[in-house]
Amino acid sequence: MSSIRQALLSLLAREPLSGYDIKQRMNNRLGPFWKVGSNQVYPELARMEEEGLVALQGIEQHDYRPARKLYEITEAGKEAVIRWTTESGGADQYRDDFLLKAYNSWLVDPERMIEGVREMKKQHEEKLAAYEAKVAELTSQPAGGIVADQLFSSISVIEFGVRYERLYVEWCEELIAKLSRREPG
Amino acid sequence: MSSIRQALLSLLAREPLSGYDIKQRMNNRLGPFWKVGSNQVYPELARMEEEGLVALQGIEQHDYRPARKLYEITEAGKEAVIRWTTESGGADQYRDDFLLKAYNSWLVDPERMIEGVREMKKQHEEKLAAYEAKVAELTSQPAGGIVADQLFSSISVIEFGVRYERLYVEWCEELIAKLSRREPG
DNA sequence: AGCATCATGTAACTTGTTACATGATTGT
DNA sequence: ACAATCATGTAACAAGTTACATGATGCT
């Protein structure tokens, strides 16, 4: 099963959404955790509707705006998400271009390399700040019932992001330190 | 520029290799950090040879075995790696199916979810052990000159892997603890 | 007898990415 | 005037995965 499909169903399991909503959720809210384009969202929604995993709940029309096609998950869709969520699968392989660049660090001038690492560090610091803000925002939200469980799940995931970015930043710092020692002078 | 191409060139920058060697290096040595199939390696090598980034160094023939086509990196190839390594690029987006499953944890029975998390934790513990062994192996290797720099680069990358797996295992443990609290009883 | 290893590759298929296309309105 | 936002989609291309194909030897 394709991963976008899983992502869409996971979002729709929480609330009815339009294709546009989904794109926003993925690119802004949880992004840059997962990015998708309209080309993936709309055709996949159509395919899932055909297969009965989602259903068109209705079409909203606000003034002049283009019509919003709201989709909701069906029972079959919910079952599919639950099945996938509980089924066991191998760990995804981690893949990052920048690690490959670090693997090539012996090839290039340390000073040049340090520049690149600093830049990367900065980018991850920004992500870290964004995730931390998001955790704070979600944590301060008082809620009960099913929503509390949803919040708990969301926070767990973003918490992972926070730690991941922290680890990345620390690793960059140490790499810079090590490369500095190698520098002539 | 495709990532496999970069991976192949990064390996060939260190020493001449055959397609088979490259596959082994990626799937065993550094794997499961990065997996490739022969379908990606051989055509890419051929393409890079056409473009003058690598050159056929010679063909080895040991007894009965199929001929080994040894490739070496050219000056143009080396320049391309260095250019790519020093050029700045956006941080890769992190993507992991299991996080999406965690995002759906509110949907499923906590006990079922805990099972899945335990399984995932185990897989990452295994990767952690493998990376730690690799770091130990590389650290104990005495070497000087250019090889020392190559070793330093390799260790940096695997060190990242060690920390990443450690973080993953810890996160799994905490998720299990949190899910346990949610369980009825 | 049957499977794994070494070593090369091809073919078919599924995913993901980049760019294009439309069209009204609100903000600069 | 020009860009951005809302909202839908299509088309063309690039990348990655799974399965297939060959053929000798060594191990169980």
Side-chain angles (χ1 to χ4, degrees):
Chain A
M1 188 175 260
S2 78
S3 36
I4 323 133
R5 166 165 295 203
Q6 278 312 330
L8 302 203
L9 277 181
S10 300
L11 289 173
L12 287 167
R14 297 189 170 207
E15 59 190 326
L17 296 165
S18 72
Y20 193 82
D21 290 335
I22 290 172
K23 226 190 120 192
Q24 293 310 103
R25 287 253 190 309
M26 300 193 82
N27 294 346
N28 302 335
R29 278 204 190 221
L30 267 180
F33 228 30
W34 204 302
K35 291 225 172 184
V36 276
S38 46
N39 48 89
Q40 290 182 279
V41 174
Y42 295 111
E44 192 62 45
L45 273 174
R47 250 172 272 140
M48 290 198 293
E49 198 191 355
E50 260 182 55
E51 291 172 41
L53 298 171
V54 299
L56 196 58
Q57 198 195 43
I59 296 176
E60 278 180 19
Q61 187 81 52
H62 284 295
D63 317 325
Y64 57 88
R65 296 243 175 97
R68 278 165 51 81
K69 293 166 80 176
L70 260 188
Y71 288 92
E72 65 184 344
I73 199 166
T74 62
E75 268 312 305
K78 213 177 236 175
E79 273 167 40
V81 194
I82 292 174
R83 208 179 311 124
W84 176 75
T85 302
T86 51
E87 106 193 350
S88 59
D92 281 14
Q93 59 181 321
Y94 179 82
R95 194 149 164 173
D96 182 347
D97 271 9
F98 193 68
L99 287 192
L100 193 54
K101 288 187 180 184
Y103 184 76
N104 290 335
S105 58
W106 65 277
L107 257 175
V108 304
D109 172 45
E111 281 181 68
R112 290 274 284 157
M113 193 68 210
I114 288 172
E115 267 178 60
V117 184
R118 279 223 182 89
E119 215 178 290
M120 191 48 63
K121 185 190 155 198
K122 202 178 150 198
Q123 287 189 40
H124 285 282
E125 277 168 343
E126 278 162 23
K127 287 193 184 191
L128 174 59
Y131 290 153
E132 277 175 338
K134 193 73 198 164
V135 170
E137 187 200 320
L138 292 181
T139 307
S140 68
Q141 251 171 63
I146 308 159
V147 188
D149 285 351
Q150 288 186 5
L151 252 174
F152 156 82
S153 298
S154 298
I155 292 172
S156 296
V157 172
I158 302 171
E159 247 297 315
F160 183 96
V162 168
R163 293 182 194 198
Y164 172 74
E165 298 304 339
R166 222 174 262 160
L167 149 63
Y168 214 115
V169 170
E170 279 167 28
W171 179 77
C172 283
E173 275 164 9
E174 287 174 35
L175 186 56
I176 291 167
K178 281 186 208 159
L179 286 166
S180 301
R181 262 175 256 145
R182 249 157 222 277
E183 259 186 292
Chain B
M1 189 175 259
S2 77
S3 36
I4 323 133
R5 167 164 294 203
Q6 279 311 330
L8 303 202
L9 276 182
S10 300
L11 289 172
L12 288 166
R14 297 190 171 207
E15 59 189 327
L17 295 165
S18 72
Y20 193 81
D21 290 336
I22 290 172
K23 226 190 121 192
Q24 293 309 103
R25 287 255 190 307
M26 300 194 83
N27 294 346
N28 301 335
R29 284 217 176 219
L30 267 179
F33 228 30
W34 204 301
K35 292 225 172 185
V36 276
S38 47
N39 47 89
Q40 291 182 278
V41 174
Y42 295 111
E44 192 62 44
L45 274 174
R47 249 172 273 140
M48 289 198 292
E49 199 191 354
E50 260 182 56
E51 293 174 38
L53 298 171
V54 299
L56 197 58
Q57 198 193 42
I59 296 176
E60 278 181 17
Q61 187 81 52
H62 285 294
D63 317 326
Y64 56 89
R65 296 240 176 100
R68 276 166 52 81
K69 293 166 78 176
L70 260 188
Y71 288 92
E72 65 183 344
I73 198 166
T74 62
E75 267 312 304
K78 211 177 237 176
E79 273 167 39
V81 193
I82 292 174
R83 208 179 311 124
W84 176 75
T85 302
T86 50
E87 106 193 348
S88 58
D92 281 13
Q93 57 181 322
Y94 179 83
R95 193 142 158 181
D96 183 346
D97 271 9
F98 193 68
L99 287 192
L100 194 53
K101 289 187 180 183
Y103 184 76
N104 291 334
S105 58
W106 65 278
L107 257 174
V108 305
D109 171 45
E111 282 182 67
R112 291 274 285 157
M113 192 68 210
I114 288 172
E115 267 179 61
V117 184
R118 279 223 183 89
E119 215 178 289
M120 191 48 64
K121 185 190 154 198
K122 202 178 150 197
Q123 288 189 39
H124 284 282
E125 277 169 343
E126 278 162 23
K127 287 193 184 191
L128 174 59
Y131 290 153
E132 277 175 338
K134 194 72 198 165
V135 170
E137 187 200 319
L138 292 181
T139 308
S140 69
Q141 251 171 63
I146 308 159
V147 188
D149 285 350
Q150 288 186 4
L151 250 173
F152 156 80
S153 299
S154 298
I155 292 171
S156 296
V157 172
I158 301 171
E159 246 299 315
F160 183 96
V162 168
R163 293 182 194 198
Y164 172 74
E165 297 304 340
R166 221 174 264 160
L167 148 64
Y168 214 115
V169 169
E170 279 168 28
W171 179 77
C172 283
E173 275 165 10
E174 288 174 35
L175 186 55
I176 291 167
K178 282 187 207 158
L179 286 165
S180 302
R181 261 174 257 145
R182 247 156 224 278
E183 258 186 293

